[in-house]
Amino acid sequence: KADEMKEELIQKIQHATEARTPDAAKHQDQLDQVSKDLKEMNRKADEMKEVLVQQLQHANEARASDAAKFHGQLDQVSKDQHETNRAAVETTEQMQMLMTLLQQLSSASASEASQLLEI
């Protein structure tokens, strides 16, 4: 009798195990698929991150290049302004000399004016 009960229990365990085995295999397949999907999503995320990093690097390089060009332009404007100021000072000095000469000529006699113009 005990052997019969033992055999019956063994059969029930086998049936239960066989019934659970397809479910367990199905769940394992689902877990494997989820794992694959997660790995693929991580790979795609890494690719997108790399693209974004490259885009940021290019943008920063472009900004640095633009800043360098701008500074170069500012330097040129500054040089041009200094040159213009120097020329303006020179022109002002020449105008003052001409005004002085004109005043001297207006009050000079003909022979004095001739001598002044030779200078």
Side-chain angles (χ1 to χ4, degrees):
K1 181 93 177 164
D3 285 339
E4 286 178 25
M5 288 177 65
K6 182 179 172 185
E7 188 62 35
E8 191 177 323
L9 277 174
I10 290 173
Q11 286 178 358
K12 284 183 181 179
I13 289 172
Q14 283 176 345
H15 288 304
T17 302
E18 289 169 3
R20 268 190 241 137
T21 301
D23 287 343
K26 188 189 307 180
H27 290 307
Q28 187 61 46
D29 288 345
Q30 290 172 342
L31 285 174
D32 290 345
Q33 187 60 46
V34 167
S35 178
K36 286 178 189 175
D37 291 346
L38 283 173
K39 286 178 184 176
E40 180 64 16
M41 288 169 54
N42 282 335
R43 187 189 63 73
K44 286 182 181 178
D46 287 343
E47 286 176 3
M48 288 172 31
K49 185 170 48 173
E50 184 61 33
V51 167
L52 287 174
V53 166
Q54 288 175 358
Q55 288 175 344
L56 281 172
Q57 286 173 340
H58 291 311
N60 285 338
E61 290 167 4
R63 253 186 252 129
S65 174
D66 289 347
K69 287 177 190 173
F70 181 70
H71 284 297
Q73 290 170 346
L74 281 179
D75 288 345
Q76 187 59 48
V77 166
S78 179
K79 289 176 186 175
D80 292 349
Q81 186 178 19
H82 285 293
E83 179 60 26
T84 301
N85 288 343
R86 188 199 59 72
V89 166
E90 188 177 301
T91 301
T92 302
E93 290 171 352
Q94 289 173 349
M95 291 290 286
Q96 287 173 341
M97 286 174 23
L98 286 173
M99 290 297 288
T100 302
L101 182 61
L102 226 105
Q103 287 173 350
Q104 291 173 352
L105 283 173
S106 67
S107 63
S109 66
S111 66
E112 289 173 331
S114 176
Q115 287 176 348
L116 283 172
L117 288 174
E118 288 176 12
I119 299 171

